[in-house]
Amino acid sequence: MASNALCRQPKALLQMTQHVFRDPLLQCLAPRWSRSMATETSLPEFNTPSLGTSMQSPLNTTPSAPRRAAPTSPDVLTTIYKFPSMEPMRFAYYPVNKLYLPLRRDILHRAVVFEGDATRQGTASTKWRSDVHGGGRKMRPQKGSGKARIGDRKSPMLRGGGVAFGPHPRDFSTGLPRKIYDLAWRTALSYRYKRGQLVVLGNEIEIEMSESRWLAQIMEWNHLGKGDGGSLLIARDPSENLSQAFLGLEGHGRLKSEDDVDVKDLLKAGRIMIEKRSLDRLLRRHSSDLNRTVPSAM
């Protein structure tokens, strides 16, 4: 009876067998011969190359690759890499509601517009006729001169007079609820995570040399440079060598601290490299919509 029941459900048995024999080490090393970073739980099959096959970069990806199904577990798997060798170090788990949200283009658009409006200065200013120095006496008679009628010397029609309909200081900022903005943050990170473009690095990134040429070669080898859209490195306290090296990368990548990053930066760069402590802090900071309390009847 048991054997007949298993034969009736070959698909369920196959899925259970694949889940049992899934090796986390193979998930970590699979990107060396597959299309994506090991930032997701469900990865393609692991095929070991032959001895005659040349090794490729561990971050070789194809942007047009199909997306993967959502994980069934409450947490998603993320691999922590070592910079700049990009060797896998360990695993980390994040909740689905923080790093595996569905794509919401409307929320991302509202967040980008909100950030853009907040950066507008609105300091352009001109003087109206009441702000220009001069008297209020009429320049010439209303009729009889053969010329157009005109008022005092502060008229906008005269040189040195006030400016009609000129700009004045104003506030261009628009409002956006905090919960929607926090949801946009996690949606942008989830979008990068699903596409294999979120590279989580170990804490306290450090490089030996401050030469940009050496760092540019590392970025190109790992498919993080200009040819793949460039990368954005987010760190809490960038070292002096790291800051000097990123100054001359010429489009290969940018360096920003976690306090200077916004949603537009997460969507603009080709890849996002971020320290684990910075990722944890950003997720904690933008989780106001998750702290929901049930209203009381008292």
Side-chain angles (χ1 to χ4, degrees), residues 202-207 233-243 255-260 274-279 281:
N203 298 332
E204 298 180 1
I205 300 175
E206 183 59 67
I207 57 177
L233 178 59
I234 304 174
R236 176 171 298 182
D237 297 318
S239 62
E240 184 177 356
N241 290 343
L242 192 64
S243 302
L255 175 64
K256 281 194 172 185
S257 63
E258 60 185 30
D259 297 330
D260 298 334
I274 182 172
E275 291 182 343
K276 185 181 183 302
R277 58 181 180 179
S278 298
L279 178 60
R281 182 178 178 184

Side-chain angles (χ1 to χ4, degrees), residues 27 67 73 80 113 129 149 157-158 177 215 286 292 295:
Q27 294 182 4
R67 298 180 182 178
S73 61
I80 311 300
V113 172
R129 61 187 309 164
R149 53 189 176 183
M157 295 184 296
L158 297 179
L215 185 58
H286 300 286
R292 299 177 181 177

Side-chain angles (χ1 to χ4, degrees), residues 257-275:
S257 63
E258 60 185 30
D259 297 330
D260 298 334
V261 182
D262 51 17
V263 177
K264 183 179 179 180
D265 295 329
L266 298 179
L267 300 175
K268 185 177 180 180
R271 305 288 172 85
I272 304 297
M273 298 186 298
I274 182 172
E275 291 182 343

Side-chain angles (χ1 to χ4, degrees), residues 61-79:
T61 64
T62 303
S64 60
R67 298 180 182 178
R68 299 165 185 165
T72 57
S73 61
D75 296 333
V76 292
L77 179 66
T78 304
T79 308

Side-chain angles (χ1 to χ4, degrees), residues 198-218:
L198 180 65
V199 185
V200 184
L201 307 176
N203 298 332
E204 298 180 1
I205 300 175
E206 183 59 67
I207 57 177
E208 298 179 357
M209 297 179 292
S210 60
E211 297 181 1
S212 302
R213 181 180 59 180
W214 176 72
L215 185 58
Q217 293 177 357
I218 295 178

Side-chain angles (χ1 to χ4, degrees), residues 23-277:
D23 189 359
L25 181 59
L26 299 185
Q27 294 182 4
C28 180
L29 299 180
R32 290 183 176 271
W33 300 280
S34 63
R35 72 101 191 167
S36 175
M37 293 285 299
T39 55
E40 302 183 13
T41 54
S42 57
L43 292 174
E45 296 182 359
F46 177 76
N47 298 324
T48 305
S50 59
L51 295 178
T53 305
S54 60
M55 297 291 292
Q56 297 181 357
S57 170
L59 303 183
N60 189 7
T61 64
T62 303
S64 60
R67 298 180 182 178
R68 299 165 185 165
T72 57
S73 61
D75 296 333
V76 292
L77 179 66
T78 304
T79 308
I80 311 300
Y81 291 87
K82 182 180 180 181
F83 188 84
S85 62
M86 305 309 296
E87 298 177 358
M89 299 169 56
R90 62 184 185 276
F91 295 104
Y93 292 90
Y94 289 93
V96 175
N97 57 5
K98 290 187 177 182
L99 214 58
Y100 214 99
L101 294 175
L103 179 61
R104 291 288 304 273
R105 298 179 183 272
D106 55 338
I107 293 181
L108 294 177
H109 178 264
R110 293 183 62 180
V112 172
V113 172
F114 167 73
E115 293 172 349
D117 293 341
T119 57
R120 300 185 64 176
Q121 297 181 356
T123 57
S125 179
T126 55
K127 292 183 179 182
W128 177 234
R129 61 187 309 164
S130 60
D131 302 325
V132 178
H133 177 72
R137 183 178 63 87
K138 191 174 178 64
M139 296 290 294
R140 55 176 175 262
Q142 182 80 358
K143 298 179 180 295
S145 63
K147 298 182 180 180
R149 53 189 176 183
I150 195 173
D152 55 12
R153 61 182 303 176
K154 298 182 293 183
S155 172
M157 295 184 296
L158 297 179
R159 187 173 184 178
V163 178
F165 309 108
H168 296 281
R170 55 172 294 188
D171 185 12
F172 286 95
S173 62
T174 55
L176 184 67
R178 175 64 184 274
K179 293 183 178 181
I180 297 181
Y181 185 62
D182 291 345
L183 180 59
W185 261 90
R186 302 198 315 277
T187 302
L189 291 173
S190 300
Y191 172 75
R192 290 300 190 181
Y193 174 85
K194 291 180 179 180
R195 296 176 62 90
Q197 298 172 348
L198 180 65
V199 185
V200 184
L201 307 176
N203 298 332
E204 298 180 1
I205 300 175
E206 183 59 67
I207 57 177
E208 298 179 357
M209 297 179 292
S210 60
E211 297 181 1
S212 302
R213 181 180 59 180
W214 176 72
L215 185 58
Q217 293 177 357
I218 295 178
M219 301 283 285
E220 291 179 354
W221 167 253
N222 291 321
H223 297 274
L224 299 170
K226 185 188 304 182
D228 296 274
S231 300
L232 173 64
L233 178 59
I234 304 174
R236 176 171 298 182
D237 297 318
S239 62
E240 184 177 356
N241 290 343
L242 192 64
S243 302
Q244 291 294 332
F246 267 91
L247 290 177
L249 282 185
E250 299 179 357
H252 290 287
R254 295 184 303 161
L255 175 64
K256 281 194 172 185
S257 63
E258 60 185 30
D259 297 330
D260 298 334
V261 182
D262 51 17
V263 177
K264 183 179 179 180
D265 295 329
L266 298 179
L267 300 175
K268 185 177 180 180
R271 305 288 172 85
I272 304 297
M273 298 186 298
I274 182 172
E275 291 182 343
K276 185 181 183 302
R277 58 181 180 179

